[in-house]
C-alpha cells in the first residue's frame, strides 16, 4: 500500500458536495447550456443513513473534505458502507451477470486515498443476516490503472446468486460493505416509472397538481399568460399581432424551458422505439392524469408531445423551428413573452419522420381514437415530406446574429445532417405508407449505412435496422444492413472491449467519448448492443448481449467512480447515494424549496438523468482557480475540472460563472436514451 495515502473504510455518502457561493443564481437559460447537445466526440428527503449534514452544500474543496472524513472516522461494529465498493444500487436481475467493483484511486480528486481489498469477500443477505456466497475479489488487468477513471480495480462476481432478496457485498477483513441492493425480477419497474414521470414534470402549460404531482413538486400551468405560448409571436416581428399562434403544450427541453423542434421530434421517435421494442412492459399506472384510460402511459405521454408538434406545423406542411420561453422558479412564475422561429428544412424533416413513425405505432394499438389520431399524423408526415423536398435548404440558426436571445441551444444541422434526416424520414414514411417512392430513396442511400457502429450514430443505426425488419423492405438491402451491423460489432471497441474487459466498470465507451452528456453516450452504447436482439441480427447470443447491455445500466445506477446513481432524488427506492441537485430552472440554486436534497425543503423531483462526467468542463474566465472573486463567492471547485474523464463530476447546480450545466443539467435527449435502455430490463 502507498503509505502516503489514507485508508478509507467509512461511508463517503457526501464526498461530492456542492460548491458554495452565490454567483449566478441558476435557472436562466444560457447559450452554453446546450452548446454540445448534439455534438459528437420519491421521497423528498434523504433517508436517515444520509443525514442532512452530509448532503448540505459546502465551500470546502472535495479532496479536503474526503481527507477530513477519513482521518476522523474509524470502522467499528457492523460493516460500514464504503465508497470503494460500488454496485447497482437498485439491484440486479436474477439471470444477469452481477459484478461488484472494488476501486483504489490512483489519480484524480481522491488520489490521496487508498483501498486494497481484503482476502475474503462475502455476499450477505441483509434480510436474514446470512452469508450466501464467499470468495475473493479478482484484480482487474493485474493491478493496472484504468486511465479513464484513474483507478485500480477488482471484481467480485456473484452472478451465481439468483434467489430474490436484499443484499450487500462485504469485505470481511476491512469490515466494510457496499450499499444494499436487491436481486429480483421486478427491481427496475419502479425506476422506469420515475424516469418516465420526468416528462410529466417537464410538461409546459399543464398544472402539476396532487395526486399526480408528488408532495413538494406541485405547480400551476406555466407559460399560458398574456403574450406567452397561447399567443406566441414571431421572434423577428415581435410587435405584429398577426403573427400570433397558439403553440402551448409540449415539454421543457432540459434545465431551460425552451422547446426545440428538431430535438422534440426526435424524443418522440426514441420513445416510440422504446414502446415498439418491448410493448408488454408499458403499463397504464404511472400516476399521470391519463392513467387508467386503457392506453399505456408512455403512449399518453407521446401523444402529449405530438399535440404540441402538430401545433408547430404550418398549413403548407412546413414545421416551425423553435419556441423560446421565459424562465423562473417555479415554472408558473415565468411571465415573459414567448417567441417562435420560422420553419426550417431540418425541423420539418425530423417532424416528418416522427409523424410517420407515430402513425405506424399508434395505429398498431387498434384503439379507435388512436386510429383517427394516427391517420392525421400520417397525413402530416406526407405534407412535411413534400414541403421538404421542395425546400431542401431552408435553415434557421436560433440564438445567433439577429436571432440572438431566442433559445439557448443550437439545433440546426449542416448539409450532411439534412441528408441524414431526409433518409431517416423516408424510412419511417415507408413504414407508415408502404409507398415505393420512400423505399427507393432509402435504398439509394443504404450503401455502408451500418458498417460502423458507434454511439454517435445510434439513432440512425436504429432507423436502418428498423427498416431492415420491415416486411416489404428490399430484401438484399435488409440483409446487407444486418450483416454489416454484425460485422461492425466485432471491431471498433464493441465486442472486443466487452470480451477483453477493457473497462473495470464494465461500460466501455473510450476516454474520448466522455464529453458533454456522457450519460446519454453510456445509454446509447448499451442500446447498440441490444439492437442485436431487438432487430434480429443472426448469430446473436442473447445472454451475452443482455449481460453486455445491462452493464451500461449498472454504470448509471452506481457502478462508477462516484458510486452515484445519476438520477435525481431516488432515495424513496432505497438507494444510498443519488443526484442531490442538478441544473434546472425550477430546481434552481439557492431555492429554499427545491435546491438540494437534505438542505432545501424538498430538493429536486425524482427521476431526472443528469449529463454526467465531462472532462471538458470549465468555469467562466472570471472564476480563477484557487482564489475567490465576486463571481464565484468561493474557490472554484475541483472536481470537476482537471480530472480523469469518469471523475469529472460534481454534485452541484451553481449557475454562472461556475456553469454547472456542463455536467449536471438534465436534457430530454439523455432521458429518452436512458428510458429506452432501462425498458429492456423491466419485467
Amino acid at each position: 500500500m502507498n503509505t502516503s495515502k489514507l485508508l478509507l473504510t467509512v461511508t463517503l455518502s457526501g464526498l461530492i458536495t456542492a460548491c458554495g457561493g452565490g454567483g449566478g443564481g441558476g435557472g436562466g437559460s444560457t447559450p452554453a447550456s446546450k452548446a454540445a447537445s448534439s455534438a459528437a466526440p420519491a421521497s423528498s428527503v434523504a433517508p436517515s443513513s444520509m443525514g442532512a449534514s452530509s448532503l448540505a452544500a459546502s465551500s470546502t474543496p472535495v479532496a479536503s473534505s474526503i481527507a477530513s472524513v477519513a482521518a476522523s472516522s474509524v470502522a467499528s461494529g457492523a460493516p460500514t458502507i464504503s465508497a470503494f465498493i460500488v454496485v447497482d444500487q437498485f439491484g440486479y436481475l436474477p439471470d444477469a451477470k452481477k459484478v461488484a467493483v472494488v476501486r483504489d484511486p490512483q489519480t484524480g480528486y481522491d488520489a490521496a486515498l487508498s483501498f486494497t481489498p481484503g482476502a475474503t469477500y462475502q455476499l450477505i443477505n441483509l434480510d436474514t443476516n446470512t452469508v450466501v456466497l464467499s470468495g475473493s475479489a479478482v484484480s482487474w488487468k493485474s493491478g493496472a490503472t484504468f486511465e479513464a477513471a484513474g483507478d485500480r480495480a477488482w471484481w467480485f462476481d456473484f452472478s451465481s446468486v439468483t434467489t430474490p432478496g436484499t443484499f450487500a457485498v462485504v469485505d470481511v477483513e476491512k469490515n466494510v460493505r457496499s450499499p444494499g441492493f436487491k436481486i429480483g425480477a421486478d427491481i427496475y419497474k419502479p425506476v422506469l416509472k420515475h424516469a418516465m414521470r420526468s416528462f410529466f414534470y417537464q410538461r409546459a402549460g399543464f398544472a402539476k397538481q396532487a395526486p399526480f404531482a408528488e408532495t413538494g413538486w406541485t405547480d400551476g400551468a406555466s407559460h399560458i399568460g398574456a403574450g406567452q405560448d397561447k399567443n406566441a409571436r414571431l421572434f423577428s416581428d415581435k410587435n405584429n399581432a398577426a403573427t400570433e399562434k397558439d403553440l402551448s403544450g409540449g415539454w421543457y427541453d432540459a434545465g431551460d424551458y425552451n422547446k426545440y423542434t428538431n430535438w422534440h421530434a426526435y424524443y418522440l421517435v426514441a420513445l416510440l422505439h422504446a414502446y415498439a421494442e418491448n410493448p408488454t412492459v408499458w403499463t397504464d399506472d404511472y400516476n399521470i392524469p391519463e392513467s387508467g384510460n386503457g392506453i399505456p402511459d408512455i403512449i399518453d405521454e407521446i401523444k402529449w408531445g405530438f399535440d404540441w408538434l402538430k401545433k408547430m406545423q404550418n398549413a403548407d406542411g412546413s414545421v416551425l423551428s423553435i419556441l423560446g420561453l421565459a424562465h423562473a422558479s417555479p415554472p408558473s412564475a415565468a411571465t415573459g413573452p414567448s417567441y417562435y422561429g420560422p420553419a426550417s428544412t431540418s425541423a420539418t424533416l425530423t417532424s416528418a419522420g416522427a409523424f410517420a413513425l407515430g402513425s405506424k405505432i399508434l395505429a398498431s394499438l387498434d384503439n379507435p381514437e388512436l386510429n383517427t389520431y394516427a391517420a392525421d399524423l400520417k397525413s402530416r408526415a406526407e405534407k412535411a415530406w413534400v414541403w421538404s423536398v421542395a425546400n431542401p435548404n431552408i435553415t434557421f440558426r436560433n440564438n445567433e446574429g439577429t436571432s440572438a436571445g431566442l433559445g439557448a441551444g443550437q439545433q440546426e444541422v449542416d448539409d450532411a445532417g439534412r441528408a441524414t434526416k431526409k433518409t431517416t424520414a423516408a424510412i419511417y414514411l415507408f413504414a407508415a405508407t408502404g409507398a415505393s417512392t420512400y423505399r427507393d430513396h432509402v435504398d439509394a442511400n443504404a450503401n455502408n449505412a451500418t458498417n460502423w457502429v458507434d454511439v454517435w450514430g445510434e439513432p440512425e443505426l436504429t432507423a436502418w435496422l428498423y427498416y431492415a425488419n420491415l416486411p416489404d423492405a428490399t430484401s438484399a438491402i435488409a440483409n446487407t444492413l444486418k450483416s454489416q451491423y454484425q460485422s461492425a460489432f466485432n471491431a471498433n471497441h464493441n465486442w472486443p472491449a466487452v470480451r477483453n474487459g477493457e473497462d473495470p466498470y464494465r461500460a466501455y465507451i473510450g476516454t474520448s467519448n466522455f464529453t458533454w452528456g456522457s450519460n446519454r453516450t453510456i445509454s446509447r452504447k448499451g442500446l447498440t448492443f441490444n439492437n442485436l436482439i431487438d432487430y434480429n441480427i443472426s448469430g446473436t447470443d442473447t445472454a451475452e448481449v443482455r449481460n453486455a447491455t445491462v452493464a451500461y445500466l449498472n454504470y448509471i445506477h452506481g457502478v462508477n467512480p462516484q458510486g452515484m446513481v445519476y438520477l435525481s432524488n431516488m432515495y424513496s427506492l432505497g438507494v444510498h447515494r443519488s443526484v442531490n441537485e442538478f441544473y434546472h430552472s425550477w430546481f434552481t440554486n439557492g431555492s429554499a424549496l427545491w435546491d438540494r436534497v437534505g438542505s432545501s425543503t424538498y430538493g429536486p423531483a425524482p427521476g431526472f438523468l443528469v449529463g454526467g462526467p465531462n472532462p471538458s468542463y470549465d468555469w467562466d474566465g472570471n472564476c480563477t482557480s484557487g482564489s475567490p472573486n465576486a463571481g464565484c463567492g468561493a474557490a472554484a471547485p475541483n472536481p470537476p475540472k482537471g480530472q480523469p474523464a469518469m471523475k469529472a463530476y460534481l454534485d452541484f447546480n451553481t449557475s454562472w460563472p461556475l456553469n454547472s450545466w456542463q455536467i449536471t443539467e438534465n436534457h430530454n435527449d439523455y432521458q429518452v436514451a436512458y428510458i429506452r435502455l432501462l425498458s429492456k430490463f423491466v419485467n
Side-chain angles (χ1 to χ4, degrees):
M1 180 186 301
N2 185 340
T3 56
S4 66
K5 294 185 174 185
L6 293 168
L7 175 61
L8 182 65
T9 58
V10 296
T11 179
L12 290 180
S13 27
L15 71 87
I16 306 294
T17 53
C19 175
S29 67
T30 65
S33 70
K34 292 295 179 60
S37 291
S38 57
S43 171
S44 62
V45 296
S48 58
S49 63
M50 294 187 68
S53 62
S54 70
L55 297 169
S58 168
S59 61
T60 306
V62 171
S64 298
S65 297
I66 299 172
S68 176
V69 171
S72 61
S73 303
V74 178
S76 62
T80 54
I81 297 176
S82 170
F84 300 130
I85 307 175
V86 296
V87 294
D88 185 319
Q89 293 175 36
F90 297 115
Y92 300 85
L93 297 175
D95 62 349
K97 191 171 182 66
K98 312 172 189 69
V99 178
V101 177
V102 184
R103 51 181 296 268
D104 178 23
Q106 301 296 303
T107 63
Y109 64 80
D110 52 357
L113 305 175
S114 180
F115 186 87
T116 301
T120 304
Y121 268 61
Q122 294 177 339
L123 186 70
I124 304 295
N125 185 314
L126 295 178
D127 298 322
T128 62
N129 199 31
T130 56
V131 177
V132 297
L133 181 70
S134 186
S136 59
V138 178
S139 177
W140 178 80
K141 302 289 187 184
S142 302
T145 296
F146 182 51
E147 178 186 359
D151 292 344
R152 295 194 304 155
W154 294 258
W155 287 349
F156 178 65
D157 191 324
F158 53 98
S159 302
S160 61
V161 178
T162 61
T163 303
T166 303
F167 301 89
V169 172
V170 177
D171 184 316
V172 175
E173 282 80 6
K174 299 297 175 64
N175 197 33
V176 296
R177 69 173 177 89
S178 73
F181 56 86
K182 295 181 179 180
I183 294 176
D186 60 351
I187 53 171
Y188 296 136
K189 186 172 183 177
V191 186
L192 183 64
K193 288 185 177 182
H194 276 300
M196 269 305 304
R197 280 177 52 77
S198 71
F199 279 92
F200 168 72
Y201 286 117
Q202 291 284 88
R203 289 186 185 185
F206 192 92
K208 290 85 174 179
Q209 300 295 340
F212 310 111
E214 296 161 274
T215 301
W217 301 296
T218 58
D219 189 30
S222 70
H223 301 94
I224 56 173
Q228 295 189 302
D229 289 7
K230 289 181 177 293
N231 310 99
R233 294 186 180 184
L234 183 64
F235 185 80
S236 61
D237 199 5
K238 297 178 182 177
N239 297 321
N240 185 356
T243 68
E244 287 187 1
K245 294 177 178 289
D246 180 359
L247 303 177
S248 57
W251 301 301
Y252 314 136
D253 186 70
D256 71 86
Y257 297 155
N258 304 305
K259 294 176 271 188
Y260 307 83
T261 306
N262 263 311
W263 296 335
H264 182 102
Y266 172 68
Y267 307 152
L268 290 166
V269 169
L271 290 174
L272 286 162
H273 278 301
Y275 173 77
E277 290 160 0
N278 203 3
T280 60
V281 309
W282 299 101
T283 54
D284 189 24
D285 58 353
Y286 284 24
N287 192 36
I288 61 174
E290 298 84 359
S291 294
N293 65 358
I295 297 171
D297 283 344
I298 187 175
I299 298 296
D300 290 319
E301 200 62 63
I302 287 169
K303 185 174 179 295
W304 172 266
F306 271 125
D307 287 345
W308 179 76
L309 193 61
K310 289 165 60 174
K311 292 179 179 180
M312 294 292 281
Q313 187 173 37
N314 294 319
D316 63 359
S318 65
V319 183
L320 302 174
S321 54
I322 183 174
L323 182 65
L325 278 63
H327 294 74
S329 177
S332 64
T335 58
S338 300
Y339 297 111
Y340 63 87
S344 69
T345 304
S346 62
T348 305
L349 284 169
T350 313
S351 298
F355 285 141
L357 185 60
S359 70
K360 173 77 172 179
I361 302 302
L362 296 188
S364 71
L365 275 76
D366 197 26
N367 175 287
E369 180 182 348
L370 289 180
N371 286 343
T372 301
Y373 196 89
D376 178 59
L377 294 182
K378 179 181 175 182
S379 175
R380 289 174 179 277
E382 293 182 290
K383 288 179 66 176
W385 174 267
V386 169
W387 185 89
S388 299
V389 170
N391 299 273
N393 299 304
I394 305 299
T395 62
F396 177 69
R397 298 186 67 82
N398 63 277
N399 204 32
E400 294 183 9
T402 59
S403 300
L406 179 58
Q410 183 50 253
Q411 60 177 334
E412 190 54 275
V413 297
D414 58 12
D415 293 348
R418 287 193 301 280
T420 297
K421 287 179 179 293
K422 186 175 182 180
T423 302
T424 302
I427 289 171
Y428 296 134
L429 275 157
F430 174 64
T433 69
S436 60
T437 185
Y438 303 120
R439 180 176 57 199
D440 291 346
H441 181 86
V442 174
D443 289 352
N445 289 276
N447 186 43
N448 295 324
T450 58
N451 71 342
W452 182 268
V453 176
D454 73 351
V455 293
W456 302 109
E458 183 276 317
E460 292 75 36
L461 289 167
T462 294
W464 281 112
L465 293 177
Y466 178 80
Y467 171 75
N469 276 269
L470 293 173
D472 295 326
T474 303
S475 59
I477 298 292
N479 292 336
T480 297
L481 290 169
K482 290 186 177 184
S483 177
Q484 286 179 344
Y485 196 88
Q486 182 188 50
S487 296
F489 242 86
N490 291 319
N492 310 332
H493 295 292
N494 293 312
W495 279 131
V498 172
R499 291 166 178 166
N500 296 333
E502 292 184 19
D503 182 346
Y505 292 95
R506 305 180 61 247
Y508 184 88
I509 61 172
T511 303
S512 63
N513 285 326
F514 276 93
T515 61
W516 197 316
S518 65
N519 283 338
R520 172 190 58 187
T521 305
I522 288 285
S523 297
R524 285 184 174 178
K525 186 65 175 181
L527 290 170
T528 65
F529 280 89
N530 216 75
N531 278 342
L532 293 163
I533 297 173
D534 290 329
Y535 296 102
N536 305 309
I537 307 299
S538 64
T540 295
D541 182 326
T542 299
E544 183 182 32
V545 169
R546 283 181 62 80
N547 281 327
T549 303
V550 78
Y552 291 87
L553 193 65
N554 298 151
Y555 169 92
I556 291 174
H557 292 171
V559 184
N560 56 65
Q562 273 69 246
M564 171 175 276
V565 175
Y566 282 124
L567 299 165
S568 63
N569 203 354
M570 297 298 284
Y571 298 110
S572 64
L573 296 187
V575 304
H576 175 68
R577 184 163 182 260
S578 71
V579 168
N580 295 299
E581 55 185 325
F582 64 99
Y583 182 87
H584 195 285
S585 297
W586 183 352
F587 316 123
T588 187
N589 185 43
S591 167
L593 295 176
W594 302 297
D595 181 357
R596 184 176 177 86
V597 175
S599 57
S600 65
T601 302
Y602 303 111
F608 287 80
L609 182 69
V610 298
N614 176 12
S616 66
Y617 166 84
D618 201 359
W619 46 73
D620 193 84
N622 81 332
C623 187
T624 304
S625 177
S627 62
N629 63 36
C632 297
N638 182 28
K641 187 175 179 179
Q643 295 295 316
M646 295 172 75
K647 291 180 182 174
Y649 188 81
L650 184 69
D651 192 19
F652 77 137
N653 64 359
T654 310
S655 183
W656 181 88
L658 295 182
N659 303 351
S660 65
W661 54 74
Q662 298 169 63
I663 57 172
T664 71
E665 186 175 14
N666 69 298
H667 190 189
N668 294 344
D669 199 25
Y670 314 157
Q671 201 78 18
V672 295
Y674 168 73
I675 285 170
R676 189 171 152 227
L677 176 64
L678 176 63
S679 67
K680 310 301 180 187
F681 300 97
V682 173
N683 295 308

